[in-house]
Amino acid sequence: RRPVARGDGLERFDSPGKGRGLRVTRPFKLGELLFSSPAYSYVLSVKERGCLCEFCFTRKEGLARCGKCKKAFYCNVKCQKGDWAMHKLECSAMTAFGEKWCPSEMARLVARILAKKKVQKERCVSEKILLLGEMQSHVEDVDNEKREMNEADIAGLYQFYSKHLDMPDHKDLLTLFSQVACNGFTIEDDELSHMGTAVYPDVALINHSCLPSVIVTYNGTSAEVRAVQDMKPGDEVLISYIDLLYPTDDRNNRLRESYYFTCDCQECKSKSKVRSSSDPIEPEVINNMVRYARKTIREFRASKNLLEMCEQNIDGAIRYGEKILKPYNRLYPPYSLNVSSMYLKLGRLYMGMERHSMGISAFKKALAIMEVAHGKDHSYLVELRKEMAQK
């Protein structure tokens, strides 16, 4: 167990009632970066193929296609070469299986972890504090339904990857799938759309609280951990594992179901955010509505005369967004990505409807949150400032 170098301002410790955890050894200011971690392993979601580079997750037009499988896309030859060690696990199989190639995202990620473990003899840069093998698995707590899912994923692993991988024994595979289920991170964009899945052992050391002290955001495929409050030496580094919009009992049910513990943070003890029945409890419904409207805008922006055809849908989406922001602002902690992504979506809808001043106002509110959560120089903020400058 190699502790983090003192200069990093972080150390692993035994957190009372939580097992191991991470704490700061020096002060950190609101918005300050505690650390950045490259992924031990990561995989792009199949639905994002053609939109994002498989290697660096850059979203841009005109990506170059892999000449062999014609399914993977890259910024350039450098990215393609950088990804080959992982892409070769799938390249020929995708061609051979055609439409029948369908491993789960979890199985794809585990395949990459196994390939990396084979060649990675030294401690990896994403394991400065915690080794991949030290991540909690809770394999003994997995219920029948999850075990069946793991078994199906293992079957998929053998079906689609046996040609390129030496498989560990069944017990070790079950443990690895459980570790990834408990410790995997969803890489999301500025609107919280799912781009892929990754494992960051050092970030996995961070415990949960419904009153988080830090937030995890993504820069390409790297995870960045920033303070969402001022922190003093000895403070534990805490993130939220779940959506904090839900009532206390519901949050704890979700934590027990996915992570096998109950939270006893101050928020849970006081149950201060008791929701009224009128509060929206299904943000996904609204997110989908706004996402649909944004897609519609993109499609119709080129032909303004057709915009009227979808105005009703967009107006409905805007009404939803405006309605939900009041409870969002009240119920989510400050600097919540759920709030900033909603302001972003609304801003883009307003801009699409030529309601520029309202669009700029929404963008400014998103920007204030994102400057803390993503850092002021993140590419998302650079792009957002460009959007705001376009009148």
Side-chain angles (χ1 to χ4, degrees):
R1 290 186 184 183
R2 190 176 72 82
V4 187
R6 284 187 185 280
D8 292 344
L10 298 161
E11 68 179 9
R12 179 171 162 169
F13 80 116
D14 290 322
S15 178
K18 292 183 176 178
R20 62 202 175 192
L22 191 65
R23 66 184 172 195
V24 297
T25 57
R26 68 166 179 85
F28 282 89
K29 289 263 176 237
L30 171 72
E32 192 177 344
L33 182 72
L34 275 73
F35 70 102
S36 174
S37 175
Y40 180 92
S41 202
Y42 62 90
V43 64
L44 180 74
S45 180
V46 168
K47 71 176 178 61
E48 288 291 354
R49 284 206 151 136
C51 305
L52 299 176
C53 172
E54 298 260 340
F55 183 63
C56 69
F57 280 31
T58 297
R59 189 184 292 279
K60 68 175 190 182
E61 302 284 325
L63 293 166
R65 193 194 293 255
C66 168
K68 193 175 174 189
C69 67
K70 307 205 168 27
K71 296 269 199 306
F73 291 78
Y74 298 97
C75 294
N76 47 40
V77 173
K78 187 181 171 194
C79 281
Q80 188 167 6
K81 282 182 177 169
D83 196 47
W84 177 243
M86 293 298 143
H87 177 56
K88 72 180 180 188
L89 296 170
E90 299 182 343
C91 191
S92 55
M94 285 193 294
T95 310
F97 282 96
E99 293 296 308
K100 291 179 180 164
W101 188 85
C102 57
S104 69
E105 198 160 306
M106 181 77 86
R108 294 178 65 215
L109 180 59
V110 168
R112 287 163 185 243
I113 291 169
L114 291 171
K116 171 128 178 196
K117 280 173 86 170
K118 190 177 178 184
V119 296
Q120 187 79 38
K121 301 302 175 201
E122 296 292 303
R123 200 173 187 123
C124 183
V125 280
S126 59
E127 301 173 295
K128 285 183 180 173
I129 327 167
L130 189 76
L131 286 165
L132 180 94
E134 291 181 292
M135 295 191 310
Q136 281 279 12
S137 74
H138 290 284
V139 72
E140 66 287 347
D141 300 317
V142 172
D143 61 26
N144 286 340
E145 190 183 345
K146 283 189 190 145
R147 178 176 274 272
E148 280 170 19
M149 280 170 67
N150 286 343
E151 294 287 5
D153 280 339
I154 289 171
L157 198 65
Y158 275 99
Q159 184 181 356
F160 299 110
Y161 294 95
S162 52
K163 193 176 173 186
H164 290 285
L165 289 173
D166 300 327
M167 300 293 180
D169 69 32
H170 197 78
K171 185 167 169 280
D172 290 342
L173 272 179
L174 278 174
T175 299
L176 183 54
F177 271 100
S178 294
Q179 283 175 314
V180 175
C182 277
N183 299 280
F185 284 81
T186 298
I187 302 180
E188 295 171 324
D189 66 9
D190 55 345
E191 286 196 4
L192 299 190
S193 287
H194 176 112
M195 298 195 294
T197 311
V199 172
Y200 307 92
D202 287 348
V203 187
L205 184 61
I206 303 173
N207 286 317
H208 164 86
S209 172
C210 301
L211 292 167
S213 58
V214 301
I215 194 164
V216 179
T217 53
Y218 302 94
N219 202 337
T221 59
S222 290
E224 297 185 332
V225 181
R226 281 188 176 77
V228 288
Q229 60 188 50
D230 289 341
M231 299 178 74
K232 59 188 188 303
D235 283 351
E236 182 166 5
V237 180
L238 298 162
I239 56 173
S240 172
Y241 291 1
I242 52 163
D243 192 326
L244 296 174
L245 190 66
Y246 297 92
T248 307
D249 292 342
D250 203 349
R251 288 201 308 275
N252 271 306
N253 284 339
R254 285 159 193 268
L255 288 169
R256 276 192 295 274
E257 202 175 285
S258 298
Y259 303 101
Y260 312 100
F261 71 87
T262 302
C263 183
D264 65 348
C265 72
Q266 209 46 52
E267 178 68 24
C268 289
K269 283 178 184 163
S270 66
K271 294 197 178 187
S272 64
K273 288 183 182 169
V274 177
R275 277 62 168 168
S276 72
S277 57
S278 64
D279 285 334
I281 299 298
E282 294 181 60
E284 197 51 38
V285 176
I286 291 91
N287 283 356
N288 287 341
M289 179 74 178
V290 181
R291 201 172 291 143
Y292 166 75
R294 188 182 170 210
K295 181 171 171 277
T296 314
I297 284 179
R298 271 207 307 269
E299 288 168 0
F300 284 99
R301 198 172 267 164
S303 46
K304 288 276 171 67
N305 60 325
L306 294 175
L307 193 60
E308 286 167 30
M309 285 168 60
C310 64
E311 268 185 7
Q312 227 174 335
N313 285 334
I314 297 169
D315 278 338
I318 286 173
R319 278 198 304 276
Y320 265 118
E322 290 169 342
K323 186 178 176 185
I324 204 173
L325 270 164
K326 283 176 189 165
Y328 263 35
N329 277 315
R330 181 164 57 86
L331 297 170
Y332 278 117
Y335 312 110
S336 163
L337 295 179
N338 296 79
V339 179
S340 67
S341 73
M342 187 55 77
Y343 276 124
L344 265 187
K345 289 168 186 168
L346 259 183
R348 284 167 180 156
L349 288 168
Y350 286 137
M351 295 306 249
M353 296 288 281
E354 311 271 327
R355 290 158 72 178
H356 290 127
S357 63
M358 295 188 83
I360 296 295
S361 172
F363 281 159
K364 280 180 178 171
K365 285 171 180 165
L367 198 65
I369 296 169
M370 291 169 73
E371 282 183 343
V372 170
H374 292 85
K376 293 183 179 179
D377 304 323
H378 195 288
S379 60
Y380 291 159
L381 282 95
V382 174
E383 289 303 313
L384 181 53
R385 290 187 193 106
K386 277 187 199 164
E387 279 185 72
M388 291 168 79
Q390 286 170 0
K391 279 281 182 178

